[in-house]
Amino acid sequence: MNQENIQPIDSTAPHHHDQVDDHKPRGISRWLYTTNHKDIGTLYLLFSLLMLFTGGSMAMVIRAELFQPGLQFVDPHFFNQMTTVHGLVMVFGAIMPAFVGLANWMVPLMIGAPDMALPRMNNWSFWLLPCAFTILLSTLFMEGGAPAAGWTFYVPLSTTYSNDSTAFFVFAVHLMGISSIMGAMNIIVTIFNLRAPGMTWMKLPLFVWTWIITAFLLIAVMPVLAGVVTMVLTDKYFGTSFFNAAGGGDPVMFQHIFWFFGHPEVYIMILPAFGIISSIVPAFARKPLFGYESMVIATASIAFLSFIVWAHHMFTTGMPVAAELFFMYTTMLIAVPTGVKVFNWVATMWRGAMTFETPMMFAIAFIVLFTIGGFSGLMLAITPADFQYQDTYFVVAHFHYVLVTGALFGIIAGVYFWIPKWTGVMYSERLGQCHFWCSLVSVNMLFFPMHFVGLAGMPRRIPDYALQFADMNAFISIGGFLFGLSQLLFVAMVFRCIRRKGEKASAQVWEGAEGLEWQIPSPAPYHTFQIPPDIKSGH
Amino acid sequence: MGNQNISHQPLLRKLLVVSIAMFFFGFALIPLYDVFCRLTGLNGKTANTVAAPSTRIDTSRRIKVEFIANRDDSIPWNFAPEINSLELNPGAVKVVNFHVKNLSAQAMIGRAVPSVSPGAAARYFKKIECFCFTEQPLDAHGEKAMPVQFYIDPQLPAEYSTITLSYRLYKSQGQTVTR
Amino acid sequence: MKRYCWSLNNKCNWILFSFVWWCARSVAADTTVHSAYNMTRGATELSHKVYNLHMIIFYICCVIGAIVFGLMFWSIVHHRKVKGTAPAQFHGSLKIEIIWTAIPVLILIAMAIPATKTLVAMEDASKADMTVLVTGSQWKWHYKYMEYPIEFYSLLSTPRDQIENNAVKDALYLREVDKPLVLPAGKKIRFLVTADDVIHSWWVPDFAIKKDANPGFINETWAKIDNPGIYRGQCAELCGKDHGFMPIVVDVKTPEAFEQWVAEKIAEQEKAKAAEAARGLMTREELMELGQKTYESRCAVCHQPGGEGLPGAFPALKGSAIVTKNKPAHLHIVLFGKPATAMQAFGKQLTAAELAAVITYERNAWGNNTGDLVQIADINAVLSAGE
């Protein structure tokens, strides 16, 4: 990255301007009507924290039921509702909004823009989310309960064989989709139109790069999800036969369309985390990111490949050999750009001068544990072996390694990295380290043994299991409860900072951090870069 | 390079067009997938159209054809093939009857949906005439034999020695079925 | 103490269970070794190949991981700020980028070759010796032998008491069925897989077979099992409430023993048919006893043992208008099912005696006291008259 070429900003002129403007409405109306990117970013982040705990408590129900063989706490139908809603809440309520929140806060600061390009739309795209999740979660209290067909809602279980929660679910997904698409458009327009003079494409921080690619993925696939849930709705209520064999449809076609959305969706949830790690590692290694251009190219390649691998989720549905081979090869190819990213991070650390504050600890854990998730992903790509892995806990272990120790650890690392900039105070390093070590140990107790029970033959989405899986599941559940409890430390850290308890943070915050966001004071003033910063070009 | 007075409308409009186009692309995947299925035999979908008559018979090999009939709970009919399987030369035309009996006291329309396994052999399974081409009405307690006239395309690759033709019978709601 | 509680500190039970499990394993003549931590080697040539592929990929990943993480941790130990050295400032090298793009590509190609070979072999179900049609429905498997006049449903046989922790769980908890699929060893068996309602997936790890059962379509796969033995599997695709309770058991016999089983099975089916045809009126006690047994194995999973159902998902039978008043409607729904719900047409799944008994039981249990008795003749009359 060429940010060493960015000239320090004249600290008086814009800041003076900021302070004059720094008044905002008080109370609830500030948050309801806000069009300020920082306020909206905060709202997104707090909302996703709330959803993390909502989805997390469902995971606790699942782990409690699976603690011992036999049915103890919930009946199988409710168990299925828990796995389904847990997945939906975590994917659409926790991970995705957290990334949008980080983008709202950081993208304008990183590119020297005064705000997002479309502030009123920004307000809309956030406030749709609480509406969507109120609708979705309300189905838990319906007669017959919430959707129970898995977050992948395969037909005909989600159409013919479901209760009316499907209609609520479809409407909620439409709202989430509209929210995500508006958010993505806003980010694209902001990055295209509002970069400060001199902020050329190849000077953009990687977080901005990964987000622009993510935004394009969102625009390409969220409408497909909207389409597929619409088809589910019309099949269930209006007599169409998109997926119904009786009318000439095909239930497997649902899976094709769903995964055409679903696989890019997986990358939507990980690419911004790559961007965060690419910001953190150089800052704490005090050394420029290794292979900036190759990082950009690798991100774009992953995004492209994500469109031609979808059927690897469907190897057991009965595909012709040629199709199985095609999807096996393309899926294996994804390992190449992903590998390049990992190698670049390691090379960035190499011969640096590293310190290990909490953001760096989470970033290192991300690199190791995400790579483990990548390895199991590679194993899953091998079609013959996938016949044994498919729909077992091996798959559960795989996607939790990439989504929890991948996406979620990336988000947590980003929060520790930037929270001094947001609140103006340093988080408690002791609390942060404690949170890190508790999370690291418990998350591995939770997800690592899942590989073994999966290989030994335990299918996913079952409320009860054979006795040979008992010890492992008890152990996994203990890991799960500990991981859940550990996140309370994270909440404590966040609220200490919000209540301004802690050492005052400098503008620079981290010794090795580079970029425009570190050149404005901490906490970031309500309005920043009203006059664009001048970034001197030079190579 | 951007500045703050730039109009965001043109870019926004383009993005909107892309997302609307992708919404409809989701729907377009269905006909695309059907074409793809027919080309590759994915899911054993056979062309539900009348095949051209057979032109030559390959006497060098025999293919075993199995018949399976099952029905949805929505339609209280008995449904069974007259034979479980037969052997034939590729290109030879055969007729097999499937018997249906309406167990209910009301007239009803049935619709049979075919599926061929192995899927990749589906496009070599040629139906000259089939009860699955049309809807099948049946009076209360009525019964009839429904024929399928078919042959195996002699171009069938050598690795296939057994082909299964399966029908699943559904109650037709009377609406026209397009595929 | 009736309630059995599984807990790690309950050492007595633990030792007892381990012993029982070990004995059961030895007695069951499983020819394959099952690890609690790894994929099974399985019982077919292809399952061995799949296992080897799995281990090769696993070792390759371990080596790559050891190298990459090794370098990273070496760097973490040596390149820290406290050591006082100034950070280097290099930030890219095209040569290195090309190397670490090319090497993974070569490794991937090396992995793809054996994977392709195995996959092609797995998908070739031609020239089979026999064919079995496997049909999944909520929540049981149905097996039909295409070459023999044999077909039957196969259901979980673990008693509800064990699932609800009211009885000691036996070694084959959730893994045992009433009627296993019986197959001959050493023959190439082709499986046609389909479903009646939602998508299921027929999975027997020892055969390295997992094939989705899609309603309306058939899939095929095959296995040639080397040795006789009992092989167990389970449904692998979420198929509704009792997805976790539809195991698969395959009893593989020598070809001679298989032929003998076929002959016995056919004779048994004939005999049962004749006995039922000859059976006259059943007494109230007979009906209620058989009815309760049938209800508990087939109906209680949804309608609950006490008939109270699950509101919104599965209707209550206790006090229901159909069950307490409308007898023709009651017979109709049990025999023909309710389309597009989990209520299947039991007319084709149960014997007339079982149907008569279970309807009688529902009309008289849990305070429904209608006093109605339903007899085999009533069932046959409805079945032949239809709707």
Side-chain angles (χ1 to χ4, degrees):
Chain A
M1 239 178 306
N2 300 321
Q3 288 178 351
E4 59 268 39
N5 295 327
I6 298 168
Q7 295 297 304
I9 296 160
D10 175 1
S11 60
T12 51
H15 295 160
H16 175 71
H17 187 85
D18 289 340
Q19 274 146 18
V20 173
D21 242 11
D22 198 5
H23 49 74
K24 48 209 170 198
R26 299 268 154 217
I28 187 86
S29 60
R30 167 182 172 188
W31 299 104
L32 267 179
Y33 303 127
T34 183
T35 55
N36 179 290
H37 73 100
K38 301 185 184 77
D39 280 355
I40 294 175
T42 306
L43 284 173
Y44 265 112
L45 287 166
L46 290 176
F47 176 77
S48 74
L49 186 63
L50 178 69
M51 285 299 120
L52 180 71
F53 275 83
T54 311
S57 49
M58 291 169 191
M60 296 300 106
V61 174
I62 294 167
R63 283 323 316 174
E65 180 54 54
L66 291 174
F67 184 62
Q68 297 176 352
L71 295 178
Q72 287 86 17
F73 302 105
V74 295
D75 73 84
H77 185 60
F78 188 73
F79 183 90
N80 288 344
Q81 295 172 39
M82 285 290 108
T83 54
T84 304
V85 183
H86 162 77
L88 290 168
V89 165
M90 288 304 201
V91 168
F92 296 106
I95 302 294
M96 286 170 68
F99 282 132
V100 181
L102 291 172
N104 256 293
W105 249 106
M106 302 317 298
V107 166
L109 296 186
M110 285 175 162
I111 63 172
D115 202 314
M116 296 295 278
L118 308 153
R120 278 187 295 265
M121 192 167 93
N122 207 7
N123 174 290
W124 253 106
S125 61
F126 171 74
W127 282 108
L128 279 179
L129 275 183
C131 303
F133 281 90
T134 309
I135 294 169
L136 179 65
L137 294 173
S138 72
T139 58
L140 280 167
F141 306 99
M142 273 176 71
E143 220 191 343
W151 86 276
T152 51
F153 57 104
Y154 279 10
V155 298
L157 195 57
S158 64
T159 53
T160 318
Y161 293 84
S162 70
N163 68 343
D164 287 333
S165 64
T166 303
F168 288 76
F169 156 76
V170 168
F171 188 50
V173 169
H174 276 148
L175 291 182
M176 294 168 207
I178 293 168
S179 160
S180 296
I181 291 168
M182 291 201 303
M185 285 179 173
N186 209 342
I187 288 165
I188 292 175
V189 176
T190 306
I191 298 172
F192 271 71
N193 290 350
L194 294 187
R195 278 169 292 130
M199 180 57 85
T200 56
W201 285 105
M202 290 319 266
K203 276 189 198 161
L204 289 178
L206 258 170
F207 180 67
V208 179
W209 256 116
T210 53
W211 237 114
I212 199 161
I213 290 166
T214 304
F216 277 113
L217 285 180
L218 278 166
I219 284 179
V221 301
M222 288 309 281
V224 176
L225 174 69
V228 77
V229 292
T230 308
M231 289 183 242
V232 163
L233 188 77
T234 58
D235 264 15
K236 183 167 170 67
Y237 291 104
F238 303 107
T240 57
S241 290
F242 290 111
F243 309 128
N244 187 354
D250 182 345
V252 175
M253 181 158 57
F254 167 86
Q255 297 177 32
H256 280 287
I257 305 177
F258 177 82
W259 286 114
F260 185 84
F261 145 78
H263 203 80
E265 168 70 16
V266 172
Y267 293 101
I268 286 168
M269 292 190 282
I270 198 67
L271 293 184
F274 289 168
I276 295 169
I277 302 307
S278 304
S279 299
I280 292 174
V281 172
F284 293 92
R286 290 163 182 80
K287 187 165 158 284
L289 182 71
F290 189 89
Y292 173 85
E293 289 87 354
S294 75
M295 284 299 227
V296 175
I297 294 166
T299 311
S301 320
I302 293 172
F304 168 74
L305 285 172
S306 74
F307 283 102
I308 53 167
V309 297
W310 77 88
H312 67 214
H313 298 268
M314 304 165 52
F315 281 143
T316 61
T317 55
M319 279 191 279
V321 187
E324 284 175 332
L325 290 174
F326 173 80
F327 286 109
M328 172 168 84
Y329 299 149
T330 52
T331 306
M332 290 168 79
L333 265 185
I334 289 191
V336 177
T338 315
V340 166
K341 285 191 157 287
V342 174
F343 301 144
N344 279 334
W345 288 321
V346 174
T348 305
M349 292 184 200
W350 194 258
R351 289 185 51 211
M354 279 185 272
T355 52
F356 301 94
E357 289 87 343
T358 315
M360 184 62 164
M361 296 303 276
F362 272 103
I364 292 170
F366 172 97
I367 294 170
V368 175
L369 300 177
F370 172 79
T371 305
I372 290 175
F375 285 145
S376 56
L378 186 57
M379 295 170 78
L380 283 158
I382 309 293
T383 314
D386 178 79
F387 293 151
Q388 294 284 43
Y389 306 138
Q390 169 75 20
D391 270 318
T392 67
Y393 262 82
F394 190 79
V395 176
V396 179
H398 161 70
F399 67 72
H400 281 100
Y401 263 85
V402 292
L403 286 179
V404 177
T405 58
L408 183 63
F409 271 29
I411 292 164
I412 292 175
V415 170
Y416 277 106
F417 190 49
W418 288 312
I419 206 166
K421 180 57 65 187
W422 302 337
T423 63
V425 295
M426 282 306 284
Y427 61 86
S428 155
E429 187 63 41
R430 256 184 70 186
L431 200 55
Q433 292 288 344
C434 182
H435 172 224
F436 169 75
W437 286 107
C438 290
S439 296
L440 182 74
V441 171
S442 59
V443 85
N444 285 297
M445 285 173 69
L446 169 58
F447 295 124
F448 205 75
M450 285 186 184
H451 291 113
F452 301 128
V453 282
L455 290 175
M458 179 166 161
R460 64 191 282 209
R461 293 168 169 165
I462 57 172
D464 194 4
Y465 46 82
L467 297 182
Q468 75 262 38
F469 307 124
D471 303 349
M472 280 293 207
N473 271 287
F475 186 80
I476 290 168
S477 286
I478 292 167
F481 301 139
L482 291 177
F483 184 66
L485 285 175
S486 306
Q487 301 323 303
L488 295 175
L489 298 172
F490 180 62
V491 177
M493 180 286 288
V494 168
F495 281 92
R496 271 178 64 100
C497 288
I498 289 177
R499 292 168 58 215
R500 304 290 190 271
K501 287 201 173 152
E503 207 181 304
K504 200 173 157 15
S506 66
Q508 176 66 27
V509 184
W510 309 108
E511 185 189 12
E514 281 182 1
L516 286 177
E517 75 266 37
W518 307 110
Q519 298 175 22
I520 53 169
S522 302
Y526 199 55
H527 296 287
T528 39
F529 300 128
Q530 300 289 75
I531 294 164
D534 190 21
I535 296 141
K536 291 277 185 301
S537 55
H539 233 304
Chain B
M1 217 40 39
N3 73 60
Q4 289 162 47
N5 301 322
I6 198 167
S7 166
H8 301 313
Q9 295 301 322
L11 180 56
L12 193 60
R13 215 169 291 136
K14 276 180 217 152
L15 294 172
L16 202 63
V17 168
V18 172
S19 59
I20 292 168
M22 286 309 290
F23 180 75
F24 289 105
F25 177 72
F27 287 85
L29 280 171
I30 290 175
L32 287 174
Y33 174 81
D34 263 9
V35 170
F36 183 73
C37 282
R38 222 147 275 161
L39 291 176
T40 61
L42 186 70
N43 254 9
K45 281 195 169 184
T46 59
N48 229 3
T49 49
V50 181
S54 170
T55 49
R56 69 182 177 91
I57 295 179
D58 174 2
T59 50
S60 66
R61 57 180 172 151
R62 304 279 284 174
I63 305 292
K64 185 178 177 192
V65 180
E66 294 175 325
F67 305 97
I68 292 175
N70 55 43
R71 65 168 181 90
D72 197 61
D73 278 350
S74 61
I75 185 160
W77 291 11
N78 274 344
F79 178 44
E82 60 182 352
I83 41 170
N84 269 339
S85 64
L86 57 76
E87 281 195 10
L88 80 178
N89 296 111
V93 177
K94 290 273 178 183
V95 179
V96 170
N97 281 309
F98 282 66
H99 289 287
V100 277
K101 180 171 192 251
N102 185 350
L103 296 175
S104 82
Q106 43 188 288
M108 223 174 261
I109 302 170
R111 167 151 208 110
V113 177
S115 165
V116 169
S117 186
R123 60 188 163 133
Y124 301 98
F125 197 95
K126 302 286 188 187
K127 286 175 287 198
I128 298 171
E129 199 201 314
C130 178
F131 58 90
C132 58
F133 293 166
T134 55
E135 301 195 318
Q136 297 291 332
L138 209 52
D139 293 336
H141 303 298
E143 56 187 302
K144 66 174 173 183
M146 307 190 298
V148 53
Q149 189 182 20
F150 69 94
Y151 65 92
I152 307 292
D153 191 327
Q155 286 169 359
L156 177 77
E159 65 255 38
Y160 302 112
S161 57
T162 305
I163 296 180
T164 306
L165 174 64
S166 162
Y167 288 102
R168 186 165 176 84
L169 188 70
Y170 293 91
K171 183 175 175 180
S172 172
Q173 303 303 325
Q175 85 248 31
T176 46
V177 177
T178 47
R179 282 184 292 276
Chain C
M1 200 190 79
K2 275 202 87 175
R3 192 178 165 83
Y4 170 73
C5 188
W6 179 263
S7 62
L8 285 175
N9 55 19
N10 200 332
K11 283 216 177 72
C12 270
N13 281 331
W14 167 239
I15 292 164
L16 187 70
F17 158 62
S18 312
F19 181 67
V20 171
W21 187 66
W22 182 81
C23 291
R25 272 263 310 272
S26 325
V27 174
D30 276 4
T31 48
T32 52
V33 180
H34 288 264
S35 159
Y37 309 104
N38 199 0
M39 185 189 286
T40 171
R41 278 174 193 276
T44 68
E45 192 193 331
L46 282 174
S47 72
H48 297 320
K49 281 190 178 160
V50 169
Y51 173 82
N52 290 338
L53 260 182
H54 156 70
M55 291 312 291
I56 291 168
I57 312 157
F58 173 68
Y59 289 134
I60 291 176
C61 288
C62 286
V63 171
I64 299 173
I67 294 169
V68 175
F69 301 148
L71 285 171
M72 192 179 88
F73 282 108
W74 196 87
S75 174
I76 285 172
V77 170
H78 293 276
H79 304 147
R80 3 173 104 224
K81 196 189 173 200
V82 286
K83 304 243 168 182
T85 49
Q89 286 301 317
F90 61 84
H91 55 80
S93 157
L94 186 62
K95 206 197 285 170
I96 287 182
E97 299 282 355
I98 290 171
I99 289 171
W100 67 38
T101 307
I103 291 175
V105 170
L106 295 176
I107 296 173
L108 290 176
I109 292 172
M111 281 157 76
I113 292 167
T116 305
K117 281 187 190 155
T118 309
L119 184 64
V120 170
M122 288 176 99
E123 295 291 341
D124 178 15
S126 63
K127 301 191 176 57
D129 298 313
M130 64 178 278
T131 303
V132 178
L133 174 65
V134 179
T135 309
S137 64
Q138 286 180 327
W139 293 280
K140 50 183 133 332
W141 294 101
H142 178 263
Y143 301 111
K144 182 178 180 196
Y145 294 73
M146 297 298 283
E147 281 81 7
Y148 308 97
I150 299 176
E151 58 180 304
F152 52 86
Y153 284 91
S154 177
L155 280 96
L156 174 74
S157 65
T158 299
R160 282 201 73 79
D161 274 356
Q162 292 188 18
I163 296 170
E164 284 162 0
N165 309 308
N166 297 324
V168 179
K169 293 172 173 48
D170 60 47
L172 290 172
Y173 177 69
L174 297 188
R175 284 158 50 88
E176 192 62 298
V177 296
D178 56 352
K179 291 173 204 157
L181 172 66
V182 179
L183 295 174
K187 296 267 162 86
K188 182 165 183 176
I189 297 148
R190 182 162 156 264
F191 300 100
L192 296 169
V193 185
T194 186
D196 265 344
D197 38 37
V198 300
I199 299 173
H200 303 266
S201 191
W202 199 72
W203 179 32
V204 181
D206 283 316
F207 308 161
I209 287 179
K210 185 182 284 143
K211 212 49 153 178
D212 286 5
N214 298 318
F217 297 91
I218 47 172
N219 267 329
E220 66 175 51
T221 182
W222 65 277
K224 189 174 172 185
I225 307 135
D226 298 335
N227 294 303
I230 308 274
Y231 303 96
R232 293 172 200 279
Q234 185 160 5
C235 177
E237 179 66 60
L238 178 63
C239 56
K241 178 174 159 287
D242 277 7
H243 162 54
F245 303 90
M246 51 185 290
I248 297 156
V249 179
V250 185
D251 182 359
V252 177
K253 297 179 184 293
T254 60
E256 302 74 43
F258 175 75
E259 287 304 327
Q260 194 188 339
W261 175 84
V262 167
E264 281 167 11
K265 187 78 185 171
I266 294 170
E268 183 192 309
Q269 282 180 352
E270 298 289 319
K271 213 171 116 191
K273 224 184 248 173
E276 189 163 297
R279 194 161 188 174
L281 290 182
M282 292 168 75
T283 66
R284 186 187 163 85
E285 285 66 37
E286 280 174 333
L287 284 166
M288 287 299 278
E289 193 195 331
L290 179 61
Q292 183 170 8
K293 199 175 129 217
T294 312
Y295 182 84
E296 277 163 7
S297 70
R298 309 301 287 267
C299 317
V301 286
C302 295
H303 295 294
Q304 302 302 306
E308 67 273 24
L310 283 176
F314 305 109
L317 301 182
K318 185 178 175 180
S320 130
I322 290 177
V323 178
T324 55
K325 298 193 180 77
N326 193 343
K327 190 163 152 189
H330 190 188
L331 265 82
H332 188 275
I333 199 169
V334 174
L335 267 50
F336 300 109
K338 188 173 176 194
T341 66
M343 184 63 201
Q344 295 163 345
F346 284 96
K348 60 182 180 182
Q349 297 188 15
L350 299 173
T351 66
E354 285 170 328
L355 289 163
V358 80
I359 296 171
T360 305
Y361 177 74
E362 287 171 0
R363 297 185 77 79
N364 292 288
W366 332 294
N368 279 350
N369 309 324
T370 57
D372 293 345
L373 295 188
V374 179
Q375 294 291 351
I376 293 172
D378 301 327
I379 299 293
N380 287 334
V382 178
L383 277 177
S384 56
E387 293 196 358

